[in-house]
Amino acid sequence: MARMSSATRTAVGTSIAGGALSALSGAPHQLSHLFRGRFPTVAVTGMTGVGKTRLADRLARRTSAESTVEVGSATMERRTRRMAKGRGFRFRVVPGDNAATRLGALDEVFHDDPVDGVLHVVAWGHATARRTAGTSGEAVATREELLAAELEDWTITAHRIASMALRRDKPVWLVIVVTKADLFPDEVDEAVRYYSPGSGSPFAAKLDELRSLAGGARLSVDVLPMCTEPGEATGKAARKDAGKRCSAMLTALESRMGQLSGHA
């Protein structure tokens, strides 16, 4: 067998070393991509008082301090849901108050570290009205005023979703979560239609505009009802039925998120 010359051995060694270094340098990116596939990041957006924190808590199987739930957080809240087979979700709950911290959080989830999906929470005019700057105690607002504030909030968020979708090389999913459905149990279908594409409502018009800007292939849209608490129905049987309905809504949302993220 012919022996390699010294120069040949050196060249081969250099090639092997170079290949090993290249593989090592690519490992963090590959691991990050794998982790992201198993634990996609989800932004939870919406105006203050719609129940974003309660929803994220239920999805993550945890409980927040009552003060945070009642007043609303001034900074972005983070949750992680770990499920079977090494999968789960990482939630980023964006503050609802129109403050600098909210705008910074929106920049983070839609530009600096773009999320894989969005849960935009609405309440069909049943949000808890709050005082400005996170002051404790409820404010007074009509349902029309709350719907107008919700639409203004959605306009800001929709533009950022469109910008993110155009920059991404894979589709972004959006679920409009109509929460507090236990407050209008006989009107859930009507509420879902109000937020659905093509329904002709002011909210739907903004949603249709978003789909047009982002492109249908880049953005999928679902609308699902949700109640974060089983309601205050009187009687043991009524409370049990309300609890079952809320659990079914939560299961439907989790199932759809799993499908959209490739978990199912």
Side-chain angles (χ1 to χ4, degrees):
M1 180 184 296
R3 293 184 177 181
M4 289 186 185
S5 67
S6 177
T8 302
R9 287 196 299 271
T10 301
V12 171
T14 301
S15 177
I16 293 174
L21 287 173
S22 177
L24 288 173
S25 64
H29 173 74
Q30 293 170 356
L31 290 174
S32 175
H33 182 74
L34 176 62
F35 178 76
R36 184 135 198 167
R38 289 183 172 274
F39 279 83
T41 309
V42 181
V44 184
T45 60
M47 65 175 277
T48 186
V50 292
K52 297 187 300 297
T53 299
R54 286 193 185 277
L55 174 62
D57 283 345
R58 290 200 72 192
L59 290 169
R61 304 295 194 269
R62 60 162 287 180
T63 303
S64 288
E66 193 63 26
S67 59
T68 298
V69 172
E70 293 300 323
V71 179
S73 177
T75 59
M76 186 156 64
E77 296 280 331
R78 300 172 186 270
R79 304 283 187 275
T80 300
R81 168 71 184 279
R82 292 177 174 82
M83 302 184 303
K85 299 180 180 180
R87 293 177 175 176
F89 294 94
R90 293 172 292 157
F91 298 100
R92 303 290 183 261
V93 187
V94 176
D97 281 330
N98 191 11
T101 52
R102 173 177 179 268
L103 297 178
L106 287 172
D107 283 341
E108 180 176 335
V109 299
F110 293 131
H111 185 272
D112 301 340
D113 187 16
V115 296
D116 301 290
V118 181
L119 298 178
H120 186 77
V121 187
V122 292
W124 207 42
H126 291 79
T128 301
R130 287 178 177 154
R131 299 176 184 176
T132 59
T135 306
S136 61
E138 295 184 8
V140 177
T142 66
R143 183 164 177 264
E144 289 71 23
E145 289 172 336
L146 291 171
L147 281 171
E150 187 180 84
L151 183 60
E152 180 181 357
D153 172 85
W154 168 238
T155 301
I156 295 172
T157 304
H159 281 300
R160 292 174 183 257
I161 294 174
S163 178
M164 178 184 70
L166 289 173
R167 295 193 311 270
R168 297 294 295 272
D169 57 357
K170 66 176 183 177
V172 176
W173 55 264
L174 164 68
V175 178
I176 307 295
V177 183
V178 189
T179 193
K180 299 182 185 268
D182 46 312
L183 298 181
F184 44 91
D186 298 328
E187 301 172 312
V188 172
D189 290 342
E190 183 181 351
V192 169
R193 281 195 300 272
Y194 175 87
Y195 294 104
S196 297
S199 69
S201 72
F203 190 98
K206 294 293 183 183
L207 181 56
D208 292 338
E209 181 182 342
L210 165 61
R211 297 175 72 201
S212 176
L213 289 172
R218 291 179 176 271
L219 180 70
S220 69
V221 179
D222 290 89
V223 185
L224 294 175
M226 174 61 56
C227 55
T228 50
E229 296 294 334
E232 297 181 358
T234 57
K236 183 176 181 181
R239 286 195 299 271
K240 185 176 181 180
D241 288 342
K244 285 182 178 179
R245 287 195 298 271
C246 287
S247 295
M249 290 178 182
L250 181 65
T251 298
L253 175 59
E254 291 175 328
S255 176
R256 185 54 181 153
M257 288 171 57
Q259 293 170 350
L260 292 167
S261 301
H263 288 177

